[in-house]
């Protein structure tokens, strides 16, 4: 099925900007300060969740001024859909062994949290000594995988709308948009 690039372009042109590039940069700097305070000296292994976590990891890592290793994994509930289901699709298992390590899982957003919760549990089951999580966006709503669920490190709390930009996508596009945008009427 051919992609309607006019529709993809229109989505960004008509979207509401909920966080400017400057607000995102400030959030990433705050996250980096908190992560450094927690993990400096611990030889952590950081996992970027593909694909959205790649953008956040790429912008966050240069702000972390301590030794760390980077790994990746790919698990999703959404694909290119606008809504997820409860099944986790493991497209790539963790690329490095977390056994005995403090790990930090980096992702773009904590929406309901089922994906992040399952990934963190999987890493713990593989023998990680400690599993922490970092997300740029915490979507503000009560439908979390468990009541009160939050990542250990969060950049921004954003309204419960369909978001894209800064790692989050619209039908596979606009992960590269520099701010955080919401679709009109979503």
């Amino acid at each position: 099925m051919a992609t309607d690039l006019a529709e993809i372009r229109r989505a960004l042109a008509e979207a509401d900007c909920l966080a400017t590039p400057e607000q995102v940069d400030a959030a990433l700097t705050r996250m980096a300060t908190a992560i450094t305070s927690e993990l400096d000296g611990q030889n952590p292994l950081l996992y970027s969740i593909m694909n959205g976590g790649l953008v956040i990891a790429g912008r966050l890592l240069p702000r972390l001024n301590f030794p760390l290793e980077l790994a990746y994994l790919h698990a999703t509930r959404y694909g290119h859909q606008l809504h997820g289901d409860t099944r986790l699709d493991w497209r790539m298992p963790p690329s490095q062994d977390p056994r005995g390590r403090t790990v930090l899982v980096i992702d773009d957003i904590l929406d309901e949290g089922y994906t992040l919760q399952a990934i963190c549990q999987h890493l713990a089951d593989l023998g990680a000594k400690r599993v922490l999580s970092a997300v740029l966006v915490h979507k503000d709503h009560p439908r979390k995988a468990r009541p009160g669920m939050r990542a250990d490190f969060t950049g921004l709390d954003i309204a419960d709308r369909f978001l894209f930009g800064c790692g989050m996508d619209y039908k596979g596009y606009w992960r590269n948009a520099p701010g955080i945008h919401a679709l009109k009427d979503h």
Side-chain angles (χ1 to χ4, degrees):
M1 180 158 98
T3 300
D4 181 355
L5 288 179
E7 180 224 338
I8 299 299
R9 287 186 180 99
R10 190 171 44 255
L12 180 60
E14 296 176 357
D16 296 320
C17 181
L18 301 185
T20 66
E22 295 78 19
Q23 290 170 316
V24 170
D25 280 340
L28 289 165
T29 297
R30 285 190 307 273
M31 288 175 65
T33 299
I35 291 167
T36 298
S37 176
E38 185 72 25
L39 296 182
D40 187 14
Q42 294 194 29
N43 188 27
L45 177 58
L46 279 59
Y47 284 96
S48 173
I49 299 177
M50 304 303 277
N51 286 325
L54 173 66
V55 174
I56 306 311
R59 295 182 65 186
L60 185 61
L61 265 60
R63 292 171 162 93
L64 302 177
N65 191 21
F66 57 88
L68 57 85
E69 286 187 279
L70 179 63
Y72 63 95
L73 56 82
H74 192 174
T76 184
R77 289 179 46 237
Y78 290 92
H80 296 309
Q81 305 302 313
L82 299 184
H83 303 284
D85 61 24
T86 58
R87 295 173 309 206
L88 194 62
D89 178 10
W90 281 95
R91 296 181 181 180
M92 174 66 187
S95 64
Q96 284 187 245
D97 186 356
R99 199 170 334 166
R101 302 284 298 271
T102 295
V103 301
L104 176 65
V105 177
I106 301 171
D107 205 1
D108 51 0
I109 187 169
L110 191 156
D111 189 344
E112 292 177 355
Y114 290 100
T115 303
L116 186 61
Q117 179 175 269
I119 288 169
C120 290
Q121 184 60 54
H122 183 70
L123 292 168
D125 292 346
L126 291 174
K129 176 173 67 174
R130 183 177 177 208
V131 180
L132 300 169
S133 57
V135 298
L136 176 60
V137 171
H138 175 92
K139 196 184 276 190
D140 192 18
H141 61 69
R143 301 178 315 276
K144 302 296 183 208
R146 60 180 191 278
M149 182 180 184
R150 290 195 65 91
D152 297 291
F153 306 97
T154 300
L156 299 162
D157 284 22
I158 303 267
D160 185 18
R161 296 183 59 193
F162 185 87
L163 305 174
F164 63 95
C166 294
M168 297 167 278
D169 72 289
Y170 172 68
K171 297 186 177 181
Y173 290 85
W174 292 127
R175 289 184 192 278
N176 56 314
I180 297 172
H181 305 273
L183 288 180
K184 289 283 187 199
D185 305 320
H186 278 88

